[in-house]
């Protein structure tokens, strides 16, 4: 009896792996991909590699989008050529990445990312103590490459020469059922790379797909693993999520899955304050509108909106303690940024945009002398103004005040004079102008253009 059990266990472990499943091959007559949506650059990469004797396919999100008849935003190519072999065949190509090497092939402004088929299981794969994959440079077969992609709808290959779609994991079926399904054991796949949880949420929100129950279920239990992801990677993923054109749906879904904590440390707090939440959601829905209309969105502006309420709370607290408005704002900004950058590697160039947009806000309050004209000439006026409009929409500043700033840039000289007079007569003075008036009455110093000098503490 015992021997039989032992034998059975032995056969279990020695059994040859199942024969690899043959992929489904879907001809053009069935998938109806519009070849016009494939740019020449992607065709050239596949064609050049195929003519050199390699296999080369468009892969991943681009195939998914082509099947949905949506123009993909970027194109990736998968091949059995090594990065060095790929590089040899193109004039402008660089090998990037150390832990996951791939080739960027450049055509004018476009870049095609070419990756070599990765092996599924290998010793060269480095993981951390939580099982997160750190490096993966062992090359393998297409079937293995398909199995290590995240979702079935992201694991299809398109051969532009034969116009055939190669599908190992029933991606087409899931696409038709509008279902997001992880390849393999979802729990193991999230452990390998916790960012896949955020990707699940992003794709479901963006495509309006249901997350398959087995794929969805582990997320609420495993969300904590996201804390081990390096800040820079998390920042990239947050940016993709926020600029997807479906940020509101993504945030709503992140909350539903219990994933919104810890992504932006202070965003947690903000989303729990009614005023902050209103502002953030309004900002995100405006961003979504812009993205969907094909307009540009600046990440600096976006992060400035997300963290504004944190700055605001800290700024107001300092003013209540008697600090001057401008230095109080600067200190509030420093505090917010210190807390954020610990976890989230907001890139330097975005940080300076954020500081400028916030720093401009009190300057809108100064509607005396030449201050408004100088503000109009500020390089970030437009961003500062848009931000002010958002604050007005969230009832944070009076509508009449926002309206004044909408009219002022377009007014003629005479009208501007009139507007300045009205602004000073009719509107309740802000704390800053009250202070200045008091100082002036008391013989406080003034600069040459009649503007009070900035007082710093
Ligand atoms: P997007 O529309 O956002 O570009 P995408 O699916 O193309 O979506 P990318 O981040 O560009 O996403 O990745 C390209 C492909 O690489 C994916 O479709 C998927 O096959 C694979 N991939 C990307 N990230 C992962 C991951 N974390 N785990 C497994 N496979 C991944
Ligand atoms: Mg992509």
């Amino acid at each position: 009896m015992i021997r039989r059990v032992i034998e059975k266990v032995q056969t279990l472990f020695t059994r040859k792996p199942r024969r690899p499943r043959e992929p489904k091959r879907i001809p053009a007559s069935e998938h109806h991909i519009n070849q016009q949506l494939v740019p020449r650059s992607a065709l050239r990469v596949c064609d050049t590699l195929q003519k050199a004797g390699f296999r080369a396919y468009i892969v991943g999100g681009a195939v998914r989008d082509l099947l949905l008849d949506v123009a993909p935003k970027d194109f990736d190519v998968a091949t059995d050529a090594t990065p060095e072999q790929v590089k040899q065949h193109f004039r402008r190509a660089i090998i990037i990445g150390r832990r996951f090497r791939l080739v960027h092939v450049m055509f004018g402004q476009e870049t095609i990312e070419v990756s070599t088929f990765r092996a599924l299981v290998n010793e060269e794969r480095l993981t951390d103590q939580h099982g997160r994959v750190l490096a993966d440079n062992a090359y393998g077969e297409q079937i293995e490459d398909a199995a290590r992609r995240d979702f079935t709808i992201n694991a299809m290959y398109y051969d532009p020469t034969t116009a055939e779609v190669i599908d190992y994991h029933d991606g087409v079926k899931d696409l038709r059922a509008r279902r997001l399904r992880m390849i393999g054991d979802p729990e193991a796949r999230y452990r390998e790379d916790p960012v896949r949880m955020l990707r699940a949420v992003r794709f479901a929100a963006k495509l309006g797909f249901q997350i398959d129950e087995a794929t969805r279920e582990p997320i609420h239990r495993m969300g904590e693993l996201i804390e081990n992801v390096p800040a820079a990677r998390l920042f990239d993923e947050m940016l993709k999520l926020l600029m997807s054109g479906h940020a509101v749906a993504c945030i709503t879904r992140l909350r539903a899955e219990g994933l919104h904590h810890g992504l932006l440390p202070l965003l947690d707090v903000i989303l729990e304050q009614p005023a902050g939440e209103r502002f953030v959601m309004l900002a995100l829905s405006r961003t979504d509108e812009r993205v969907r209309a094909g307009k540009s969105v600046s990440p600096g502006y976006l992060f400035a909106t997300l963290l504004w309420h944190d700055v605001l709370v800290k700024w107001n607290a300092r003013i209540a303690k008697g600090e001057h408005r401008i230095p109080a704002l600067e200190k509030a900004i420093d505090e917010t940024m210190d807390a954020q950058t610990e976890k989230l590697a907001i890139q330097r160039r975005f940080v300076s945009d954020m500081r400028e947009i916030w720093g401009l806000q009190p300057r809108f309050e100064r509607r005396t002398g030449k201050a408004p004209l100088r503000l109009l000439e500020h390089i970030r006026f437009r961003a500062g103004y848009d931000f002010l409009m958002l604050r007005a929409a969230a009832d944070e500043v009076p509508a009449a005040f926002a309206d004044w700033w909408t009219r002022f840039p377009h007014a003629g000289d005479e009208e501007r004079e009139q507007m300045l007079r009205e602004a000073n007569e009719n509107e309740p003075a802000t704390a800053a102008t009250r202070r200045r008036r008091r100082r002036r009455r008391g013989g406080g110093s003034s600069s040459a253009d009649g503007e009070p000098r900035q007082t710093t503490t």
Side-chain angles (χ1 to χ4, degrees):
M1 166 74 186
I2 289 180
R3 222 179 57 219
R4 275 228 309 277
V5 171
I6 291 173
E7 273 168 13
K8 203 160 182 186
V9 170
Q10 276 175 343
T11 52
L12 265 179
F13 282 104
T14 53
R15 199 166 55 190
K16 287 210 181 82
R18 262 190 306 155
R19 259 179 66 78
R21 242 186 340 159
E22 276 302 306
K24 293 207 169 70
R25 294 178 183 275
I26 302 134
S29 58
E30 278 176 41
H31 62 61
H32 308 296
I33 282 181
N34 175 5
Q35 278 260 23
Q36 307 279 42
L37 293 177
V38 184
R40 294 239 322 263
S41 49
L43 295 177
R44 276 268 295 284
V45 171
C46 291
D47 191 51
T48 306
L49 289 172
Q50 289 179 357
K51 286 203 170 113
F54 299 108
R55 299 165 71 199
Y57 306 87
I58 293 170
V59 69
V63 183
R64 173 197 73 218
D65 291 347
L66 287 171
L67 287 167
L68 291 169
D69 203 25
V70 173
K73 62 178 167 46
D74 48 43
F75 279 80
D76 299 321
V77 166
T79 179
D80 58 356
T82 63
E84 288 74 16
Q85 288 168 328
V86 173
K87 187 173 171 355
Q88 273 172 20
H89 289 88
F90 300 95
R91 205 162 50 86
R92 290 178 62 217
I94 47 165
I95 297 179
I96 63 152
R98 202 161 45 90
R99 292 167 173 242
F100 192 99
R101 300 173 76 224
L102 29 91
V103 186
H104 276 179
V105 181
M106 272 104 41
F107 296 91
Q109 299 287 345
E110 286 172 65
T111 300
I112 305 292
E113 203 166 274
V114 185
S115 63
T116 307
F117 295 150
R118 286 314 195 267
L120 194 52
V121 182
N122 62 76
E123 282 90 53
E124 286 188 38
R125 198 180 221 196
L126 260 180
T127 57
D128 71 3
Q129 82 262 33
H130 305 282
R132 194 168 65 82
V133 176
L134 299 175
D136 186 0
N137 276 322
Y139 306 128
E141 299 295 322
Q142 185 180 36
I143 187 171
E144 298 180 88
D145 188 78
R148 48 154 290 284
R149 291 180 180 273
D150 48 7
F151 304 102
T152 60
I153 59 166
N154 282 350
M156 293 177 279
Y157 301 78
Y158 177 59
D159 182 341
T161 313
T162 61
E164 210 173 46
V165 168
I166 300 175
D167 180 9
Y168 288 91
H169 296 279
D170 280 335
V172 170
K173 196 168 148 199
D174 285 338
L175 209 61
R176 295 211 171 112
R178 308 180 68 75
R179 179 172 56 213
L180 193 71
R181 193 161 56 87
M182 180 69 83
I183 295 169
D185 171 35
E187 210 175 302
R189 304 302 311 279
Y190 293 138
R191 205 169 294 285
E192 280 172 2
D193 182 7
V195 165
R196 288 175 185 148
M197 293 183 251
L198 298 177
R199 288 174 62 87
V201 167
R202 173 160 63 90
F203 291 126
K206 180 174 149 183
L207 303 169
F209 280 22
Q210 285 287 342
I211 307 179
D212 180 62
E213 188 46 34
T215 301
R216 199 186 69 87
E217 189 278 326
I219 295 181
H220 72 276
R221 287 186 280 116
M222 302 185 75
E224 278 184 5
L225 290 178
I226 292 176
E227 284 171 26
N228 307 320
V229 176
R233 172 115 196 270
L234 208 53
F235 179 79
D236 285 348
E237 193 52 40
M238 277 301 282
L239 207 56
K240 277 193 187 176
L241 199 141
L242 295 170
M243 315 249 294
S244 65
H246 301 268
V248 170
C250 283
I251 294 281
T252 310
R253 202 125 195 187
L254 281 177
R255 289 170 127 182
E257 304 304 338
L259 280 185
H260 60 295
H261 285 291
L263 294 180
L264 277 169
L266 295 167
L267 192 60
D268 298 352
V269 185
I270 297 160
L271 287 175
E272 268 140 38
Q273 299 166 352
E277 172 175 5
R278 194 150 153 243
F279 186 84
V280 165
M281 287 315 216
L282 198 60
L284 292 179
S285 73
R286 289 188 170 195
T287 305
D288 285 349
E289 277 168 31
R290 281 189 71 89
V291 173
R292 291 195 211 183
K295 294 185 188 161
S296 67
V297 177
S298 120
Y301 181 87
L302 189 58
F303 278 98
T305 62
L306 294 184
L307 300 180
W308 170 241
H309 267 252
D310 189 69
V311 173
L312 200 59
V313 167
K314 295 187 161 78
W315 189 21
N316 285 336
R318 286 177 176 276
I319 291 170
K321 279 195 277 172
E323 290 183 33
H324 290 296
R325 283 175 73 75
I326 306 292
L329 176 59
E330 276 163 19
K331 285 195 187 129
I333 291 173
D334 286 342
E335 267 182 68
T336 295
M337 294 315 289
D338 285 349
Q340 288 299 316
T341 39
E342 249 175 52
K343 173 81 186 161
L344 199 80
I346 302 182
Q347 289 163 24
R348 220 174 259 267
R349 59 202 164 106
F350 301 147
V351 170
S352 62
D353 286 356
M354 293 164 75
R355 285 180 181 276
E356 265 182 331
I357 291 166
W358 290 332
L360 283 177
Q361 296 310 304
R363 288 186 57 181
F364 283 100
E365 292 166 11
R366 294 167 61 187
R367 293 184 294 172
T368 50
K370 297 226 169 11
L373 287 173
R374 278 209 304 269
L375 189 52
L376 286 187
E377 281 159 20
H378 194 284
I379 189 160
R380 291 262 172 262
F381 172 78
R382 183 70 212 186
Y385 165 80
D386 286 345
F387 199 85
L388 183 73
M389 293 302 119
L390 192 62
R391 295 174 61 206
D395 290 333
E396 211 181 284
V397 293
F401 178 74
D403 180 54
W404 191 94
W405 274 106
T406 302
R407 288 185 294 121
F408 188 72
H410 309 287
D413 287 350
E414 236 169 78
E415 197 185 346
R416 281 184 179 175
E417 289 287 318
Q418 172 73 13
M419 287 180 75
L420 283 169
R421 267 198 306 278
E422 277 172 15
N424 287 303
E425 281 161 16
N426 300 340
E427 278 188 22
T430 62
T433 51
R434 268 198 306 275
R435 240 190 342 264
R436 262 180 250 129
R437 280 179 197 166
R438 260 203 314 273
R439 259 204 324 267
R440 212 172 297 177
R441 260 184 247 123
S445 61
S446 285
S447 58
D449 60 3
E451 270 295 296
R453 276 202 196 105
Q454 204 75 257
T455 6
T456 44
T457 44

